[in-house]
Structures are given as structure tokens and as C-alpha cells.
Amino acid sequence: MKKKILILIILLIFVLSGLFSANKYYNTGDTVFSFNGGINLPDFILFSKSSDNVFGFDTHIQVGGTLGLSYQVFLTNSLALGGSLSYRFNSSISSDLFVLVPITAKLSYYPFQSEKFDLILSVDAGISYFRYLEGKYVSPYVGISISPSYFFTKSWGLGLEAGINVNYDIYFASSSNNKSLHNAFGFFSPITLKVIYRH
Amino acid sequence: MNSTKKILLAFFTIFSLFISCNTNAEEGIFYQIINSTKNTQIKINQYLGVYENNHYVISQGKLYKISNNNYFEISGVYDDGIIINGYLKDENIFFICQEKKTSLTIIRKYNIDSRTIDSSFSSNGSFRMIFENGYALGEQGLYFIKETEASLIEDTPIPKTIKKFFISKDAIVLSTEASVFIIDKNGDIKITLNKSSVSLSGFQKLSDNSYLVFIDKNIYKVDDTTDSNNPFTTPLVTLSSSWDTRSFGYNTAIQGNKILIKASSSFLLIDDYNSETYTIKSNGLDYLNNLTQISPIYISSYNDKILLATNQNGIYIIDVNSNTKQQIF
């Protein structure tokens, strides 16, 4: 069942991209700058060496916030490459702050693009710095997102962006501690409103 | 610098950053987060017990009811003084309160159903502590709390100079200069052990005639067949020196055939106290680690599980069979 749904989604993306490919609004070299802000939802934390996996608010992470910016340049009239920087914060149930700062390369695909509307599918890959209590970590980071956008002038627009990302908390086995038993993947879903400037 | 060197330099910079971080924390970051506990708004100085699904606690000299994860101050209980400690029996809370004007420490009885102080209850003298099995330690010695009064236990051979004591809901152990006494909930002395200058550090009732008595870091099984003049010879278990009692002693609670022991900075588990060979383990109790830093801590058997009340991090139901904890406040 899950496979069928996945195949349908992939087919839908291909069909839509085929339909819309005739009308290309962007040209190679065009640039897009966006500033976004919204909420950061905890999804789940998966432990690689135990079954203590937790979901949603059982992660003991509360709904937090996110602020970010990104800059991209069109490599073709459908693909844009650039970078993004975000600052995300959530509170644990003990009211201690969990901070996540992803710095990523961002590749976006525009299956639908026009003077008024864009639909953007993006992949982010990079590193994220995160901090909780006295612990600090720099981790590999991967995220995907979807973003419909509306342009009320030729250059300025508003968009919604929702996605899911994963942060790895990985430790090597050591005789001095058992942190390697705590290796975990933390999944989060930022949902943001963004202001877009294109040129 | 050619592009290959630049890429390698960037890679090693990121990699060195990656492996150098979080060296100062002893636990993984996500692990710490999922084990974080809710800070309660009130500090629990003493957990009293549960009545009709509501938990009762003493916090900073006041009495509180905890219901559905919320807390409510029970007002009008003792407005001109502070509550020192208490115990809950059925629908009544007996507590010691210190009057601000006179500094006297007297016992009061509060009825939960009628929400009133029972004026017919009287206690003479000044009291230091009231126990959860219905005893109170006063200036004259040990008192037994009845429905209408706290009466001095005068016809027992217990000296008034009690050195140290541990209590549970249905028994009490106390040491004097010369002996150790185990008293049941009816006030009867079940066992007298003649041993001078023992360092009593814990107590757990196993059955009507069988008890575990902690002397320093040794755990002894005591029953009515124990030689009263030579009671503490061979310990069942000697705890590791790293499991320090400090001045608090060990708190214990039974779940099935397991006994959870709280040492000063860790928890220990006796796996099967009915077996001939006791085993004590500390591994597999990681899920309790973040609760050991807070003292005082109260643990007790509760609905076939274990209830654990902390000073600042709320109240938990512990299941040592499934290694889980559920925060109820």
C-alpha cells in the first residue's frame, strides 16, 4: 500500500512537471532570496542501538520556533542552487532550550512556475550545530521541503514552506562513557511563512 | 592551493569539528532530552500518600493536593504556622505544625472529606516527626497516633534516646545505643536485636516476620529465628563502596520479587529477594539516572509498581519489570 502511494506521488510529480514545463518563468542566472519564520515541530527520535524510539510530544520537546534565510541562483530554468542558514529553538519539558542551527546547501526544483505562482521542491544538505544544556554537537543534516508561493508583484512574494529534516547525534564507542548507546536520529518539521524576493 | 586541497581542508575542518563536540557531556543530546523531566511549580518536601486518586504532599510548610497533574493548596489548615511533616491514613492527614507565636510543634488532624481540622483530636507536648505508619517522635519518646489523640508508648522497653530510624507503611526499625528494634504497625515489638553502636542505613519489610536491615553497607535478613544476641554476622549482600549512603541512608521499595534501592547518586535493584542467592545490579537502570540528583526522594510500593516522589521534578510511577517511568506530576 505504501509503495503504491509512493509510486503515485512520484508519477504525479513527473506528470505535473511535464505539464508545467512548457511555461518556464525563470532563466539561468536568476536569483531568489527569501526570509522565513515559523514553528519547529518535533517529529520523532530514533535510537540506533535501543528501542527507546519516541514520537511527537513523547520526545519531551515542545513546539518551538525557526528563523532563516536562503539565497539561490538558477542553474537551469527549473533548478536553483544556493545556501540557507536557520536558527531553530525548542524547549524541553524541563524548560531547557534546545537550539539547532543548520547551515546547508539548498537545491530547489520548480515543477510549476509563473509570474504569480511557484511550487518549489527542495533538498537541503549540510551541517547543523545543536546545543542542549552543556552538550554541543555538529552533525550532518539532511532535509526536504515543499513550498507553494504567491507573487503579488513581479519581484516580491509570500510563500509557505513545510518539510522534514534529520539530525544525527552519533558517538563513537569509548571506554570512558557509554554515549555510543545513545546514538540517535532526531527528526523535526519546520513550517514557515516566507517573504521572497526574486530578480 | 588547488581545488582538491581546498575540498580536503574543508572536509577535515568539518570532520574535526564534528568529532570534537559534546566531549563535555556524559550522555547523548537527544538521550538527555527524552529523559528530561518536567519542573514542577512546587518543591515536594514530603509525599504523604494517595486518597481517592489525589496525591497529598507537603511543600514549604503548606499542604497541597495534586490532582490530574495540577496542584492545589489546602488553605485554612494552619494559617498561623508552618507544617513540618505528616502522614495520611484513610481520609485523614495527621501533621505536625509549628505555631509561629509559641514555636510549639503540635499534631493536628485534617479530614479530607469534610475539609476541616478535627478539633476533638488532641496532642500534648512537642513533636519532632510523624511517621507514615502512625507513630510520632516527641520530647517524651515514641507516640502512637490514635483516632482522637497521640499517646505516649510508655510500656515498651524502647529508650527515649533513639539514634536513628527507618519507616515503612507497616513497620519501623529504630536503633538505640544498645539495640535495634523492629516494631509492627500495631505498636508491637516484633524483633529486638542486641547490638551496640550499629550504623542503621536502611530497612525493608519482606513479610510479616521477615525484614531486610541495612547496617552501613551490609544488608542482613532478619526474622524471628535470628539470634537476638548475635544478629548481624553474615550479610546477604555488601554494597559497593561507591554506593554511598551519605547521611540519608537507603530508600527502598518492593515491586513483586524485586527491591529498588536508592543510594545517594544511583539506583540499585535486588533482582529476586526470594532466591537463595541475591543479586544486586545497577545496570539497566539508566532511565532513573536523572532522578538521583534530587534529594530528598521518596519511594514506596504503589499499585503493584513503585511510586517515586522527587523534591523538584515531580512524581513518577516506576515499573522495574519493564524499565519504564511515567511522570504523573
Side-chain angles (χ1 to χ4, degrees):
Chain A
M1 185 65 184
K2 282 181 181 175
K3 275 187 178 177
K4 285 180 182 175
I5 292 171
L6 192 65
I7 291 166
L8 272 175
I9 291 170
I10 292 168
L11 282 174
L12 195 63
I13 290 170
F14 273 105
V15 169
L16 285 172
S17 61
L19 281 175
F20 301 130
S21 61
N23 297 315
K24 295 296 183 190
Y25 180 81
Y26 294 99
N27 296 310
T28 303
D30 286 352
T31 56
V32 179
F33 177 81
S34 73
F35 174 81
N36 64 67
I39 58 171
N40 193 33
L41 299 170
D43 295 327
F44 41 92
I45 294 175
L46 305 179
F47 287 88
S48 59
K49 292 183 179 173
S50 76
S51 56
D52 296 337
N53 303 328
V54 285
F55 299 85
F57 293 122
D58 287 342
T59 57
H60 288 185
I61 301 172
Q62 297 174 329
V63 174
T66 174
L67 293 169
L69 48 89
S70 75
Y71 177 78
Q72 290 178 288
V73 179
F74 276 85
L75 302 175
T76 70
N77 50 17
S78 294
L79 279 176
L81 181 65
S84 74
L85 171 69
S86 298
Y87 178 86
R88 293 172 188 155
F89 53 95
N90 294 71
S91 174
S92 69
I93 60 167
S94 58
S95 303
D96 295 305
L97 195 64
F98 172 70
V99 173
L100 186 71
V101 183
I103 305 166
T104 66
K106 189 179 185 78
L107 179 67
S108 295
Y109 175 59
Y110 287 65
F112 176 68
Q113 51 183 264
S114 70
E115 191 175 344
K116 289 290 181 187
F117 295 100
D118 280 348
L119 180 67
I120 311 160
L121 305 172
S122 300
V123 176
D124 285 87
I127 57 169
S128 64
Y129 163 82
F130 52 95
R131 177 171 59 82
Y132 180 72
L133 298 175
E134 72 270 31
K136 303 180 183 80
Y137 202 91
V138 175
S139 139
Y141 173 100
V142 176
I144 54 170
S145 62
I146 184 167
S147 171
S149 307
Y150 172 75
F151 287 85
F152 44 87
T153 71
K154 190 178 178 183
S155 297
W156 290 94
L158 283 174
L160 275 173
E161 185 163 5
I164 185 168
N165 57 71
V166 59
N167 304 269
Y168 312 128
D169 192 15
I170 300 172
Y171 306 96
F172 301 109
S174 162
S175 57
S176 62
N177 61 62
N178 60 354
K179 277 196 291 189
S180 65
L181 297 175
H182 303 160
N183 287 351
F185 303 90
F187 290 79
F188 293 84
S189 284
I191 300 172
T192 61
L193 181 68
K194 63 180 185 180
V195 178
I196 308 160
Y197 176 76
R198 63 186 180 186
H199 181 68
Chain B
M1 190 182 285
N2 62 33
S3 59
T4 307
K5 283 181 180 172
K6 282 179 183 174
I7 290 167
L8 280 174
L9 184 64
F11 174 79
F12 283 113
T13 304
I14 292 168
F15 186 71
S16 61
L17 199 59
F18 170 62
I19 60 171
S20 64
C21 289
N22 203 19
T23 50
N24 51 346
E26 291 184 0
E27 295 172 330
I29 288 178
F30 289 132
Y31 182 84
Q32 286 182 66
I33 293 175
I34 71 159
N35 282 292
S36 62
T37 53
K38 186 179 174 185
N39 287 331
T40 53
Q41 299 294 310
I42 55 170
K43 293 180 180 178
I44 298 173
N45 297 120
Q46 190 193 0
Y47 176 85
L48 299 178
V50 60
Y51 176 68
E52 293 188 340
N53 296 320
N54 298 318
H55 298 267
Y56 291 86
V57 301
I58 292 171
S59 173
Q60 295 177 314
K62 294 175 180 173
L63 195 59
Y64 288 88
K65 177 175 84 171
I66 293 171
S67 179
N68 295 325
N69 212 20
N70 292 312
Y71 64 93
F72 308 92
E73 183 186 342
I74 298 175
S75 57
V77 175
Y78 201 76
D79 293 334
D80 55 346
I82 57 166
I83 296 173
I84 296 171
N85 77 334
Y87 95 103
L88 184 147
K89 183 187 179 190
D90 302 324
E91 75 277 19
N92 295 307
I93 295 172
F94 297 87
F95 58 89
I96 295 176
C97 50
Q98 184 174 38
E99 289 181 315
K100 278 182 183 169
K101 287 179 185 174
T102 64
S103 291
L104 282 175
T105 49
I106 58 173
I107 299 177
R108 290 281 178 95
K109 178 185 176 185
Y110 172 75
N111 186 281
I112 295 170
D113 290 334
S114 65
R115 300 181 185 179
T116 55
I117 294 289
D118 184 349
S119 57
S120 66
F121 183 85
S122 65
S123 67
N124 295 316
S126 196
F127 292 86
R128 284 165 55 194
M129 187 167 280
I130 195 166
F131 308 125
E132 61 180 303
N133 59 352
Y135 290 89
L137 193 61
E139 58 187 2
Q140 300 296 317
L142 197 64
Y143 291 72
F144 187 57
I145 296 171
K146 299 175 181 175
E147 282 301 302
T148 56
E149 64 175 354
S151 60
L152 183 65
I153 303 173
E154 294 185 54
D155 55 347
T156 65
I158 302 168
K160 290 163 189 168
T161 52
I162 295 166
K163 273 181 65 185
K164 202 162 184 181
F165 49 84
F166 284 88
I167 54 167
S168 64
K169 279 184 177 166
D170 41 19
I172 179 171
V173 63
L174 52 88
S175 64
T176 65
E177 278 298 332
S179 305
V180 173
F181 297 94
I182 296 173
I183 307 167
D184 72 5
K185 63 180 176 184
N186 299 317
D188 299 326
I189 296 176
K190 299 285 287 186
I191 295 172
T192 302
L193 306 165
N194 298 316
K195 180 79 175 176
S196 61
S197 302
V198 296
S199 176
L200 196 62
S201 61
F203 175 63
Q204 178 65 55
K205 182 177 178 178
L206 301 176
S207 66
D208 281 347
N209 295 310
S210 178
Y211 308 88
L212 291 184
V213 176
F214 294 54
I215 306 293
D216 198 12
K217 295 184 189 305
N218 297 315
I219 302 176
Y220 298 91
K221 189 174 183 181
V222 170
D223 57 30
D224 46 13
T225 65
T226 302
D227 181 357
S228 61
N229 292 315
N230 193 20
F232 305 120
T233 50
T234 310
L236 288 169
V237 177
T238 297
L239 299 175
S240 161
S241 59
S242 62
W243 295 331
D244 186 16
T245 65
R246 292 188 184 166
S247 59
F248 300 111
Y250 297 99
N251 297 114
T252 60
I254 284 186
Q255 183 184 352
N257 62 352
K258 296 177 179 176
I259 300 176
L260 185 66
I261 304 169
K262 193 253 170 187
S264 64
S265 58
S266 62
F267 284 91
L268 317 168
L269 193 72
I270 297 180
D271 220 359
D272 180 4
Y273 68 79
N274 285 317
S275 71
E276 287 294 318
T277 52
Y278 289 68
T279 55
I280 287 202
K281 64 175 187 178
S282 58
N283 56 332
L285 301 174
D286 289 352
Y287 66 105
L288 299 174
N289 278 353
N290 62 332
L291 302 178
T292 58
Q293 307 302 323
I294 304 110
S295 194
I297 199 165
Y298 169 96
I299 58 177
S300 172
S301 300
Y302 176 77
N303 290 350
D304 299 325
K305 292 181 182 171
I306 290 171
L307 183 140
L308 189 151
T310 65
N311 184 234
Q312 295 184 54
N313 286 67
I315 301 169
Y316 298 81
I317 304 296
I318 306 294
D319 187 343
V320 292
N321 291 322
S322 61
N323 288 349
T324 56
K325 68 173 189 280
Q326 178 199 358
Q327 189 170 17
I328 59 172
F329 174 67

